[in-house]
Amino acid sequence: MTVSHDAYSELTAETRQASSGSAVFSWTHTPSGTPKGVLVWVTAGTGQITAADNAITGVTYGGVSMTEIAEVHLSGASEPGSCWLFELLASIPTGAQTVSVTTAANPT
């Protein structure tokens, strides 16, 4: 099976918000074709959150809930941080879609 990359989008540092408590961060993703799968990586930097925070509570693509498939927290590394990976492999909306990330412990 061949895997190809279609399009990339991100929530840039300039649009992130610093606040406490829960929040929803979102941006628009426009695929260049008809997506057969969508991956969303969520990262948080040094000292912002820990595994106990359960910081990312959900991700949607075009209003469709994505499945969390990985979560990694590095606390003893030279550059600690956290990363989550979400996937959507069926019922994928076409065209420009809003990607929304819901947080409980709000990373900046």
Side-chain angles (χ1 to χ4, degrees):
M1 172 171 61
T2 302
V3 176
S4 62
H5 178 264
D6 173 85
Y8 167 83
S9 63
E10 68 179 318
L11 176 69
T12 62
E14 291 77 20
T15 60
R16 293 182 192 154
Q17 302 170 13
S19 64
S20 61
S22 63
V24 176
F25 298 88
S26 62
W27 68 97
T28 300
H29 173 75
T30 304
S32 61
T34 300
K36 294 183 176 37
V38 177
L39 295 174
V40 173
W41 293 91
V42 180
T43 60
T46 306
Q48 293 179 346
I49 54 176
T50 67
D53 290 334
N54 191 25
I56 307 303
T57 58
V59 175
T60 62
Y61 181 82
V64 179
S65 292
M66 300 182 74
T67 302
E68 181 180 338
I69 58 172
E71 181 176 334
V72 177
H73 302 278
L74 301 173
S75 59
S78 60
E79 292 188 34
S82 298
C83 182
W84 297 259
L85 175 59
F86 290 82
E87 71 177 5
L88 183 60
L89 301 176
S91 301
I92 303 166
T94 59
Q97 299 297 324
T98 299
V99 180
S100 296
V101 176
T102 303
T103 67
N106 190 9
T108 55

